[in-house]
């Protein structure tokens, strides 16, 4: 028995160092055994799921299995696990495929995934990759995020070996709707930032929900004649408005998720009695009803204001 175990181990070690599939004759030659013995040990390893077999006519080629044990995956995966045998039949379902997931256990157990009506399996790359894995054309894991009925799911397909030594595939499903929603929110914020950057504003700064400065561009720092280390984390902008735009608190109070933008005009007096005017556009960034930050942009409107006063 010890000799058999050692020979099986030597066979696996040999296959693990090969870049291409090996025939029975190649294994026999490398391990100094006759062809009949090599075929016997390769058959044992194949039944144990440790090597894979591909046939081309009468030629049999073997390689080290890259398939994962289905039982291990089922134990550690937190979502839905679907076991599919080499004939594309669903042989097991674990997890809770209820709720918004389009395939219940009763609907798919014992059925062929290649012939399921509706849902996203028949109309997606899932089946194409599943066929490749079941036919032995690919042993590489595959994943994709697919939408169905307002929900998003991450679908992973792994080549696997079952407890009885047969090959198949495991389909892992997890609900990533919340992740997709956050991604959508991030893209929305990015679009808002890009829109702000493209506008001809002189000054741009970011405020936290409590109106402390998170970031300020050089134009703002130059206008205020200060450095970033003196304004970041402070209510510098709010103090600026307090001295130049009476009533600004009421304008902030009117900002809501429905109306997230407001404008404030402030007047500044220079050292020689000069007057300048700035228009500030304040855009609140929300995630749902939760305020994330304020984006403030400022433009000089002094010439426009002077002309309006003359009129």
């Amino acid at each position: 028995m010890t000799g058999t175990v050692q020979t099986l181990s030597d066979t696996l070690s040999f296959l693990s160092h090969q870049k291409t599939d090996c025939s029975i004759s190649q294994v026999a030659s490398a391990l100094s055994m006759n062809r009949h013995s090599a075929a016997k040990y390769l058959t044992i390893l194949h039944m144990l799921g440790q090597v894979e077999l591909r046939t081309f006519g009468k030629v049999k080629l073997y390689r080290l299995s890259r398939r994962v044990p289905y039982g291990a995956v089922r134990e550690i995966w937190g979502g839905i696990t679907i076991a599919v045998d080499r004939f594309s039949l669903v042989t097991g379902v674990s997890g809770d495929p209820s709720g918004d997931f389009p395939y219940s256990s009763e609907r798919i157990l014992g059925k062929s995934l290649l012939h399921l009506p509706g849902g996203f399996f028949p109309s997606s790359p899932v089946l194409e990759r599943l066929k490749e894995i079941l036919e032995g054309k690919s042993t590489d894991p595959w994943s994709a995020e697919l939408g169905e009925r307002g929900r998003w799911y991450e679908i992973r397909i792994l080549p696997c070996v079952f407890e009885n030594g047969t090959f198949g595939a495991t389909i892992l499903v997890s609900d990533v709707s919340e992740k997709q929603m956050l991604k959508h929110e991030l893209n929305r914020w990015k679009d808002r930032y890009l829109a702000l950057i493209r506008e001809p504003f002189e000054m741009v700064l970011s405020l936290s929900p409590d109106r402390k400065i998170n970031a300020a561009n050089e134009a703002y720092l130059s206008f205020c004649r200060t450095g970033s280390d003196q304004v970041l984390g402070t209510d510098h902008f709010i103090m600026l408005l307090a001295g130049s735009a009476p009533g600004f608190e009421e304008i902030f109070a009117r900002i809501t998720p429905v109306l997230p933008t407001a404008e404030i005009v402030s007047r500044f007096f220079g050292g020689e009695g000069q007057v300048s005017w700035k228009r500030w556009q304040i855009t609140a960034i929300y995630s749902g009803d939760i305020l994330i930050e304020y984006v403030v942009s400022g433009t000089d409107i002094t010439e426009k204001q002077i002309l309006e006063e003359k009129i």
Side-chain angles (χ1 to χ4, degrees):
M1 188 66 179
T2 303
T4 299
V5 172
Q6 183 61 49
T7 304
L8 291 174
S9 176
D10 291 343
T11 304
L12 289 174
S13 177
F14 169 72
L15 291 175
S16 68
H17 292 88
Q18 306 310 305
K19 295 182 180 180
T20 59
D21 298 354
C22 295
S23 66
I24 296 176
S25 298
Q26 288 175 308
V27 174
S29 175
L31 299 180
S32 302
M33 65 175 74
N34 60 51
R35 194 175 185 282
H36 176 75
S37 297
K40 179 183 71 173
Y41 290 120
L42 287 169
T43 300
I44 293 173
L45 291 172
H46 182 245
M47 291 176 63
L48 293 173
Q50 297 187 37
V51 300
E52 296 179 21
L53 166 64
R54 293 198 298 167
T55 58
F56 298 89
K58 294 183 179 181
V59 178
K60 294 182 178 180
L61 296 178
Y62 293 87
R63 63 183 173 189
L64 198 66
S65 176
R66 288 180 284 178
R67 297 174 182 268
V68 296
Y70 171 70
V73 175
R74 182 184 57 203
E75 290 297 322
I76 64 175
W77 182 249
I80 301 166
T81 305
I82 302 173
V84 184
D85 69 10
R86 61 193 183 93
F87 302 107
S88 81
L89 296 177
V90 177
T91 59
V93 180
S94 63
D96 182 21
S98 58
D100 295 314
F101 187 64
Y103 297 113
S104 63
S105 300
E106 295 76 13
R107 184 181 178 189
I108 64 176
L109 197 57
K111 306 289 180 60
S112 170
L113 284 187
L114 302 181
H115 304 99
L116 283 180
F120 50 65
F121 284 169
S123 59
S124 72
V126 174
L127 288 189
E128 180 181 343
R129 182 49 62 96
L130 181 62
K131 287 179 183 178
E132 292 180 356
I133 289 176
L134 295 179
E135 293 171 1
K137 296 179 180 178
S138 173
T139 54
D140 296 325
W142 178 87
S143 67
E145 292 185 1
L146 303 172
E148 175 72 13
R149 301 178 185 177
R151 306 293 297 178
W152 281 87
Y153 300 93
E154 180 182 24
I155 309 295
R156 300 184 186 183
I157 305 179
L158 303 177
C160 74
V161 57
F162 298 110
E163 287 83 349
N164 61 4
T166 59
F167 294 146
T170 302
I171 300 177
L172 308 178
V173 184
S174 59
D175 192 323
V176 292
S177 301
E178 185 175 348
K179 173 186 170 183
Q180 284 289 335
M181 182 187 71
L182 292 175
K183 186 185 295 185
H184 174 73
E185 287 292 317
L186 287 174
N187 288 334
R188 190 160 61 92
W189 297 343
K190 180 181 178 181
D191 291 341
R192 287 184 176 180
Y193 275 120
L194 291 176
L196 286 170
I197 292 171
R198 293 188 182 107
E199 292 294 329
F201 296 121
E202 296 177 353
M203 297 172 282
V204 178
L205 61 157
S206 166
L207 306 180
S208 61
D210 61 356
R211 305 178 195 174
K212 300 294 178 60
I213 296 179
N214 290 326
N217 70 348
E218 287 298 326
Y220 178 82
L221 298 176
S222 177
F223 169 70
C224 297
R225 298 181 181 179
T226 186
S228 59
D229 56 337
Q230 295 176 300
V231 300
L232 295 184
T234 72
D235 57 357
H236 184 276
F237 177 68
I238 299 303
M239 297 302 295
L240 187 71
L241 291 183
S244 62
F248 74 92
E249 287 285 358
E250 296 179 4
I251 297 176
F252 264 95
R254 291 201 297 267
I255 296 177
T256 67
V258 178
L259 297 172
T261 302
E263 285 190 354
I264 298 175
V265 175
S266 59
R267 182 175 59 175
F268 299 92
F269 294 94
E272 300 178 358
Q274 296 177 337
V275 179
S276 64
W277 298 82
K278 305 291 182 184
R279 175 183 287 115
W280 306 94
Q281 179 175 302
I282 302 171
T283 302
I285 307 298
Y286 289 90
S287 176
D289 293 330
I290 301 176
L291 176 62
I292 303 299
E293 67 174 322
Y294 296 100
V295 177
V296 181
S297 49
T299 306
D300 188 284
I301 59 169
T302 302
E303 292 185 8
K304 177 177 178 295
Q305 199 71 20
I306 292 175
L307 287 175
E308 289 180 353
E309 289 181 356
K310 289 181 179 181
I311 296 174

